[in-house]
Amino acid sequence: MDEPALRQLLDDLRAGVIEPDDAVAALRRLPFADLGFARVDHHRALRQGMAEAVYAPGKTAEQCALLVAELLREPGTGPVLLTRATDEQADAAMAANADGTRTASTVAWRAADKKPGRVLVLTAGTADLPVANEAVATLTAAGYPPVLLADCGVAGVHRLLATADDLAAADAIIVVAGMEGALASLVGGIAACPVVAVPTSVGYGAALEGVTALLAMLASCAAGITVVGIDNGFGAASAVFRLMGSAGR
């Protein structure tokens, strides 16, 4: 249940459209719903503006479908997300819950209306696109469809400099980079807006499956960069959602 749904419930109660017992029954589910294998947090959208996401790894296809159904069952207009889903998990969830939109391993239902703000998602290389696509899908569902600029890495820095006008016009930027993760520092030293860096597990031996990029981003001399965990496109998009929402308030 999100804030608009709660306001509608209170308005209906005030107007006599529903009985007090019906309102109590609706609110009884608000903290969480216990499905036995999971406790679905129905209060998160009211607290944070975005509902709990379903993280697919470790769950069966049936559990993914049931969790999505439970989140959609609650009144509200905000998005519902299934992330890191396999084909089997995505197919089961979409078969059981109509109107899902799949982007790579992310499936979204009930996307929010578009909100003001310009967000960029930059990748250092094409190999970083799976992580970037998770960020794009999450932002789009939250109402901030981004501009994706792929393959802007520092090995050919002129490709990034060609986007200087886009960097200057952005309200927030997500930088997705593996190898040595240098693109985040470069963007952070050019752009004035918040920059969220995502290290990826792309790279050869000394890249250490993303650890090198993570440490480089954390040690960046470009002040104020936010860094999320390795391959965490969803987390980067969620950080931008919080930043954009705070700016709007």
Side-chain angles (χ1 to χ4, degrees):
M1 179 177 287
D2 55 16
E3 186 172 330
L6 181 58
R7 289 184 181 278
Q8 185 62 53
L9 178 69
L10 296 175
D11 288 342
D12 288 346
L13 179 62
R14 186 183 299 111
V17 175
I18 61 171
E19 297 296 324
D21 287 347
D22 296 327
V24 170
L27 292 173
R28 186 176 292 122
R29 292 171 45 80
L30 184 57
F32 64 87
D34 193 342
L35 303 185
F37 63 90
R39 294 184 177 185
V40 180
D41 184 0
H42 282 305
H43 193 264
R44 193 171 305 181
L46 189 61
R47 296 196 314 270
Q48 298 181 349
M50 192 170 179
E52 179 180 17
V54 180
Y55 178 71
K59 299 179 176 67
T60 67
E62 180 185 12
Q63 287 173 336
C64 290
L66 289 172
L67 287 165
V68 170
E70 176 60 33
L71 287 166
L72 289 170
R73 179 182 171 188
E74 193 66 16
T77 58
V80 172
L81 288 172
L82 173 66
T83 67
R84 299 294 173 92
T86 64
D87 289 342
E88 181 186 6
Q89 291 168 324
D91 289 345
M94 294 178 75
N97 302 281
D99 301 324
T101 300
R102 184 175 179 181
T103 304
S105 63
T106 304
V107 188
W109 289 262
R110 209 168 60 190
D113 292 336
K114 186 175 180 180
K115 301 177 178 68
R118 180 176 174 82
V119 181
L120 299 184
V121 176
L122 274 65
T123 76
T126 304
D128 300 309
L129 278 174
V131 176
N133 284 333
E134 183 177 73
V136 168
T138 303
L139 285 168
T140 300
Y144 296 103
V147 175
L148 175 63
L149 300 175
D151 205 15
C152 299
V154 298
V157 73
H158 56 289
R159 299 171 300 182
L160 176 67
L161 298 180
T163 68
D165 290 342
D166 294 307
L167 299 179
D171 296 302
I173 300 173
I174 293 176
V175 179
V176 185
M179 302 289 188
E180 84 283 32
L183 183 62
S185 290
L186 190 55
V187 173
I190 295 173
C193 66
V195 175
V196 180
V198 190
T200 72
S201 50
V202 171
Y204 297 102
L208 300 176
E209 297 184 342
V211 174
T212 297
L214 172 64
L215 295 177
M217 291 171 175
L218 289 171
S220 174
C221 64
I225 292 177
T226 296
V227 184
V228 300
I230 297 169
D231 292 336
N232 193 0
F234 170 79
S238 297
V240 168
F241 175 78
R242 287 174 178 264
L243 288 166
M244 300 293 280
S246 296
R249 287 194 295 272

